[in-house]
Amino acid sequence: MTLAHPLVTEKAMVLLENSNQLSFIVEKEARKASIKAAMEKNFGKKVVSINTMMTSKGNKKAVITFEEKNAAEEILSQLGIV
């Protein structure tokens, strides 16, 4: 499984509201193409871009931008977070 879990912090919620972006913790070996494929397959929303980075705790974080306006909010509601 490429996607581990969504990251829900204050900064992540600001990105959700202002930029239609979601933050996910992903496997360290995951590449942008596999993250994009997993998001589109699991949630059926078109991904525009992905930025990845390593956190200070050694996890890999992906910030995912969606094409559809409220896609990020819909995904979090599907997961039962918002």
Side-chain angles (χ1 to χ4, degrees):
M1 178 87 181
T2 303
L3 305 171
H5 58 85
L7 187 64
V8 184
T9 61
E10 283 186 45
K11 185 174 181 179
M13 296 312 288
V14 169
L15 288 173
L16 170 75
E17 294 169 1
N18 296 336
S19 304
N20 196 32
Q21 296 178 327
L22 275 183
S23 297
F24 262 83
I25 298 296
V26 297
E27 291 178 352
K28 288 183 185 178
E29 299 80 24
R31 300 289 177 241
K32 290 181 181 182
S34 63
I35 296 168
K36 180 178 180 178
M39 286 300 295
E40 290 180 350
K41 179 183 175 195
N42 292 334
F43 300 106
K45 304 292 181 186
K46 177 79 172 143
V47 174
V48 174
S49 68
I50 298 175
N51 295 321
T52 58
M53 62 212 75
M54 295 300 289
T55 66
S56 59
K57 294 182 180 180
N59 297 321
K60 189 171 192 177
K61 178 172 87 169
V63 178
I64 305 160
T65 307
F66 296 94
E67 184 176 278
E68 201 176 306
K69 186 174 180 185
N70 293 324
E73 289 181 26
E74 290 176 18
I75 290 171
L76 283 185
S77 67
Q78 286 177 4
L79 294 172
I81 295 173
V82 175

